[in-house]
Structures are given as structure tokens and as C-alpha cells.
Amino acid sequence: MKRKFLYCGIALFSLTLMAFMKPVPKITLYLIGDSTLSVKEKKAYPETGWGMPFAVFFDAQVRIDNRAQNGRSTKSFLAENRWQPVADSLKEGDYVLIQFGHNDEAKEKTDRYTAVPDFKNNLLKFVKESRSKGAKPILITPVSRRKFDQNGNALETHKEYTQAVIDVAMQEQVPLIDLDQKSRALYQKFGVEQSKLLFNQLEAGVHPNYPEGKMDNTHFNELGAREIAQIVLQEIKKLEPGLAAYVVKSSAVK
């Protein structure tokens, strides 16, 4: 009888322990790129990278590791040894979302500027080294800046670098999210004035982080970041149904 109670006690303890144990993530989803998707410090709020709301879309089986950094191009990301730790950590079944271009095209900043041929080579490096570890790269064209012509048409702002990403994706048969095109369609839907609501635009005296105000057509606020993250999620559902299986089942995440 004592032995029976002992076994019952052990079983009950085991069940209780398991209830408090979190499942070990099966997949790590790495994000590499620039300020448009990076995690922001509190002093930058309400500026929000789209990788921040994106991180809550998946269940506990997926770990989001956002390595994107403000002001980085493919050139500086590699030069600062930010890629190698990611490459070393990759395992079979992981994913790498790759979105650069904003800073690669900045000719006035020599530490960032990357000519298109070099930009392509750097993307190829990310792709090939990801695949060599059994991870799956996904290329993302640079998210568009907010810019309209006099007739209210959303304009391309990354033409050469967007095409370079598309070229590499086609050459290497890599899943592609054309966030440049998708984000412009979003701005067009909102229109010239209402699209400002997606960006970190503030009048003077409205927010303590920006006492003199801010008129930013590149970086998002919370709403804009969420809208862009939703676009990325929708594209992933189409491209990688296996990964989409881990999306949190909620009416808020469609």
C-alpha cells in the first residue's frame, strides 16, 4: 500500500512539474537587417521595428531571435561580425529572414554603402551559409519609405536594391517576400495624409522622447510596425506552410 502511494506521489509530482515546464522551442527564426525591423530602445518610442510585433505571432515552439540593428547594411553587418554568430548558431529547421537595402544604398556613408554587385554577393553569403547548416533563408526586399508624387501615387524608393534582392532570390530559388511592393500598396491604401499615421511622425511637445517633434517617413510607429509585420506573416503563410503551422491560433492573428 505504501509503495502504491509512493508511485502515485511520484506520478503527481511529475505531472505538476510538467505543467510548469515550458516546451523547448523546435525552431529558431532569426531576423537580420536594419532599423526598420530592429528592436528599439525605450528612448526611441514610439518608433517600432516590424520585428517587434512579429515576435508575438508564433507559439512556444518557435523562438524569434531578432539580430537586426539600426543603421546597418549588409556590408557593416558583416564587418561588425554580426552575421557569424548567427551562422554558428544555425541548426537544421531554423529560418533566417533577411531584409537589407536602406543603408546599403546610402552613398554618403562610406561605412555602410554597398554597391549593388557587392550587395548581391553579401546576400548570397547569407543564403549559402544558412543553407549549409540546414536552415531556410527567406529574402525580403527593403520596406518602402513613404513617398508620394503630386498625384498621390506611392513611389518606389529602393528600385535598384529591391531588384537586386529579387535577382538573388530567382538565381538561388530562395523564397521571396516583396515587402517593397507590398508596403507601397499599404501606403496607397491609406493615402497621402492617413499614411502618416503608420510612421513615427509627431508634433512638437506631443511625446517626451521627441520634444521638438519628428517627421519620419522611414521608421514606423506601433501601428505601422504591426501592419508591416502582418504583411510579412501573410507572405510566410503562403511560402512556408510548415512554419505557418506554429502561428498562434487567434482571431487577432489572421
Side-chain angles (χ1 to χ4, degrees):
M1 182 65 71
K2 290 183 179 180
R3 184 176 296 177
K4 182 178 180 180
F5 280 119
L6 178 61
Y7 288 154
C8 289
I10 293 173
L12 181 61
F13 176 77
S14 299
L15 288 170
T16 304
L17 184 62
M18 289 173 66
F20 285 96
M21 289 176 66
K22 293 183 178 180
V24 178
K26 294 180 178 179
I27 297 168
T28 301
L29 199 163
Y30 293 91
L31 278 61
I32 64 171
D34 54 45
S35 59
T36 58
L37 64 152
S38 65
V39 176
K40 307 298 179 180
E41 296 182 26
K42 288 183 179 180
K43 65 182 181 181
Y45 287 167
E47 183 179 316
T48 308
W50 66 255
M52 297 169 71
F54 183 80
V56 304
F57 290 161
F58 296 88
D59 65 25
Q61 297 296 314
V62 178
R63 180 174 72 94
I64 306 296
D65 192 336
N66 190 342
R67 302 292 183 98
Q69 289 288 322
N70 293 359
R72 268 53 180 197
S73 63
T74 56
K75 175 183 176 180
S76 58
F77 199 84
L78 287 165
E80 295 173 3
N81 197 39
R82 295 183 182 277
W83 167 245
Q84 196 58 51
V86 175
D88 291 343
S89 300
L90 289 173
K91 65 182 185 302
E92 187 171 357
D94 286 346
Y95 288 82
V96 186
L97 271 59
I98 304 163
Q99 186 219 282
F100 288 95
H102 275 250
N103 298 297
D104 293 86
E105 65 186 1
K107 291 184 178 180
E108 71 281 3
K109 298 180 180 179
T110 57
D111 61 325
R112 303 179 185 182
Y113 175 64
T114 318
V116 170
D118 295 327
F119 178 63
K120 287 184 175 182
N121 286 334
N122 292 342
L123 293 178
L124 282 169
K125 179 180 176 66
F126 298 144
V127 166
K128 290 181 177 180
E129 292 186 5
S130 295
R131 284 177 165 171
S132 72
K133 300 294 286 290
K136 299 178 181 180
I138 297 176
L139 286 170
I140 305 176
T141 58
V143 65
S144 182
R145 291 186 170 92
R146 177 186 168 275
K147 186 177 183 181
F148 289 84
D149 65 16
Q150 60 184 5
N151 297 314
N153 298 309
L155 299 174
E156 284 190 87
T157 57
H158 304 293
K159 191 171 184 179
E160 278 189 294
Y161 287 81
T162 288
Q163 188 58 52
V165 178
I166 294 170
D167 290 346
V168 172
M170 291 180 64
Q171 175 186 324
E172 299 297 317
Q173 294 297 294
V174 181
L176 172 72
I177 297 174
D178 191 352
L179 194 54
D180 187 347
Q181 187 276 326
K182 295 287 183 181
S183 58
R184 277 186 284 117
L186 175 69
Y187 310 157
Q188 194 70 62
K189 178 182 175 181
F190 271 72
V192 176
E193 290 302 316
Q194 293 299 311
S195 60
K196 294 176 182 178
L197 298 175
L198 302 171
F199 289 84
N200 193 27
Q201 296 204 5
L202 299 160
E203 297 294 335
V206 170
H207 198 285
N209 282 345
Y210 303 93
E212 297 179 3
K214 186 76 174 179
M215 292 293 115
D216 190 338
N217 288 305
T218 297
H219 302 100
F220 304 105
N221 58 21
E222 297 97 331
L223 173 62
R226 173 76 182 198
E227 290 284 346
I228 297 297
Q230 288 278 21
I231 291 172
V232 175
L233 180 68
Q234 289 300 325
E235 293 302 296
I236 284 177
K237 285 181 175 181
K238 297 174 188 176
L239 295 168
E240 293 291 339
L243 180 58
Y246 297 106
V247 173
V248 174
K249 302 298 186 290
S250 168
S251 59
V253 183
K254 300 177 181 179

